Amino acid sequence: MRVIIAGGGTGGHIFPAIAVGQALQRLQPGTQLLFVGAKGKMEMEKVPQEGFDIVGLDIAGYNRSNMVKNIGLPFKLIKSYMQARSLLKNFKPDAVVGVGGYASFPVLNAAQKRNVPTLIQEQNSFAGKSNMILGKRAKTVCVAYENMERFFPKEKLMITGNPVRKNISQMNISKQEGIAKFGLDANKKTILIVGGSLGARSINEAIAGRLDEIQATGVQLLWQTGKPYYERAKQKETATVKVHEFIRDMEYAYAAADVVISRAGALAIAELCIVAKPVIFVPFPFAAEDHQASNAMALVNRNAAWLVKDSEVKTELVKKIKELLADEATQNKMSENLKGLAIKDADERIAKQIIKIASN
């Protein structure tokens, strides 16, 4: 079986793609995989690290903050579509999978025009426009939330959940092991701060601005800053503030954590449901269709998380952290409700759908 998996841009697209690829090779040994991403994006580094081949397209997304940068976009779209056609002709896939991100659209669009079966993995509770267009001709649309018939033909929908890396979905690491991994104090509560794979400036600034106040509560911080903020945060590192640009072994970080502060990307939510750690979400306000707020509210409405708006993060986040740390009953309730939302085998559910459409 030959399969192309297209997409990327952020860890929220890349890591589910890798998880699905690994599940395909487990379920159907000998499957040949080709990943397709966007040149210059993080998938070009992360996918080869996992032992997979990847090809980069010359493509960029629509820039909402700087309209001038969109001038060359039509030419890039045409070029990437031509590149996608060439890839399909040479690789001859039995199925093409789109996980979201810039490279998904040209590759799936070209595949659908050649009548190659396609599958979409829509991670968010509010579907993106590209996936809504592609969904009309896709064989199957795998989703993580209910009521997605607002965006896709009902008969194509399959609730599979969002794929999570095996080292997290099958996690068997004790809190003590997590604490030891990062050189933390076993007698202190640990707050894990993650702003996604690229970091979150508003969260970083809110934490940095009131670091003394947080530490005064007797807790310790495990802080993933992302590359842009790392050097500034590193200057504030102490025995109780551990700063990392990127945490590769997230299973150990989750094991160490008592409370998590996070963006509300689909991957982060899927992981947090599995590890069931009390969480305060700060949704990224510029996500397409504000999907991060929609993702987070699906958990908030089930008493599985709290939410602080990005616009209020400087005044409200530390206040909420202190409030949650002091409320054991709410922490326990959150953990129980998160466990009820966890899907641990989403990668294999999606892989089985890919095998099905590739075989028909």
Side-chain angles (χ1 to χ4, degrees):
M1 190 170 72
R2 301 170 72 83
V3 177
I4 286 177
I5 301 178
T10 67
H13 295 309
I14 298 161
F15 296 124
I18 289 167
V20 169
Q22 290 167 338
L24 275 170
Q25 292 188 328
R26 281 196 308 276
L27 295 177
Q28 193 101 334
T31 295
Q32 291 187 53
L33 294 173
L34 178 65
F35 285 74
V36 182
K39 283 182 181 174
K41 294 295 178 181
M42 67 185 289
E43 59 265 27
M44 302 308 293
E45 176 191 344
K46 300 293 180 190
V47 170
Q49 283 176 358
E50 299 296 331
F52 294 114
D53 293 330
I54 186 165
V55 175
L57 301 185
D58 293 293
I59 185 154
Y62 184 76
N63 194 308
R64 290 175 171 82
S65 58
N66 188 341
M67 300 304 285
V68 175
K69 289 186 177 178
N70 294 316
I71 291 169
L73 191 59
F75 304 102
K76 284 188 175 180
L77 286 171
I78 292 165
K79 186 176 181 182
S80 64
Y81 179 72
M82 300 301 286
Q83 289 171 322
R85 280 179 58 184
S86 176
L87 278 173
L88 290 164
K89 187 177 176 184
N90 293 326
F91 189 75
K92 298 181 174 61
D94 299 300
V96 175
V97 180
V99 296
Y102 302 147
S104 266
F105 188 83
V107 179
L108 267 74
N109 184 247
Q112 289 175 350
K113 287 181 178 175
R114 292 173 72 97
N115 295 316
V116 177
T118 57
L119 178 144
I120 291 169
Q121 200 256 317
E122 174 55 69
Q123 297 150 2
N124 296 299
S125 57
F126 199 104
K129 288 185 174 67
S130 294
N131 276 355
M132 286 163 65
I133 295 165
L134 295 166
K136 291 170 185 169
R137 294 185 65 186
K139 293 285 185 188
T140 306
V141 181
C142 294
V143 296
Y145 296 90
E146 295 172 349
N147 304 316
M148 295 300 284
E149 57 272 12
R150 293 176 293 161
F151 309 109
F152 301 108
K154 191 174 181 179
E155 68 279 4
K156 296 183 179 186
L157 289 173
M158 184 75 57
I159 294 185
T160 57
N162 280 321
V164 169
R165 292 164 279 183
K166 268 279 178 274
N167 52 355
I168 291 170
S169 65
Q170 307 297 326
M171 195 171 116
N172 189 23
I173 295 161
S174 68
K175 184 174 174 64
Q176 288 74 20
E177 288 173 305
I179 290 287
K181 173 86 173 173
F182 295 102
L184 294 162
D185 185 340
N187 298 311
K188 290 181 182 288
K189 289 227 171 189
T190 304
I191 303 170
L192 171 63
I193 300 155
V194 280
S197 53
L198 303 174
R201 193 173 85 177
S202 63
I203 296 175
N204 288 335
E205 288 177 350
I207 295 298
R210 296 174 70 180
L211 203 52
D212 293 343
E213 189 180 338
I214 299 168
Q215 288 181 281
T217 64
V219 300
Q220 57 195 347
L221 272 62
L222 180 54
W223 187 5
Q224 177 181 290
T225 61
K227 196 170 188 175
Y229 203 82
Y230 176 68
E231 291 302 332
R232 268 181 287 177
K234 192 71 178 169
Q235 294 169 15
K236 296 179 180 289
E237 189 167 59
T238 65
T240 56
V241 179
K242 303 293 183 181
V243 178
H244 294 260
E245 180 185 315
F246 180 79
I247 299 172
R248 189 169 169 82
D249 301 316
M250 275 303 292
E251 65 273 27
Y252 285 90
Y254 285 135
D258 293 288
V259 169
V260 181
I261 314 303
S262 177
R263 285 298 197 201
L267 176 64
I269 286 180
E271 290 180 349
L272 283 158
C273 286
I274 287 169
V275 300
K277 294 296 172 99
V279 57
I280 300 171
F281 287 120
V282 184
F284 179 55
F286 305 110
E289 286 83 34
D290 201 20
H291 68 249
Q292 286 208 4
S294 181
N295 291 348
M297 285 309 298
L299 272 67
V300 172
N301 291 336
R302 297 187 187 203
N303 297 316
W306 283 359
L307 184 148
V308 171
K309 291 181 181 175
D310 194 83
S311 58
E312 298 173 357
V313 72
K314 283 188 178 171
T315 56
E316 295 300 312
L317 182 59
V318 173
K319 195 188 300 180
K320 286 290 184 185
I321 289 170
K322 289 160 77 174
E323 192 181 327
L324 184 56
L325 283 168
D327 191 343
E328 293 274 349
T330 295
Q331 289 177 43
N332 293 336
K333 189 72 178 166
M334 272 190 193
S335 291
E336 284 304 308
N337 292 339
L338 285 164
K339 280 177 195 170
L341 298 169
I343 297 177
K344 294 190 176 184
D345 64 342
D347 55 349
E348 294 195 354
R349 293 187 189 191
I350 294 165
K352 284 173 184 173
Q353 293 302 315
I354 296 166
I355 292 166
K356 186 177 173 184
I357 67 166
S359 304
N360 288 344

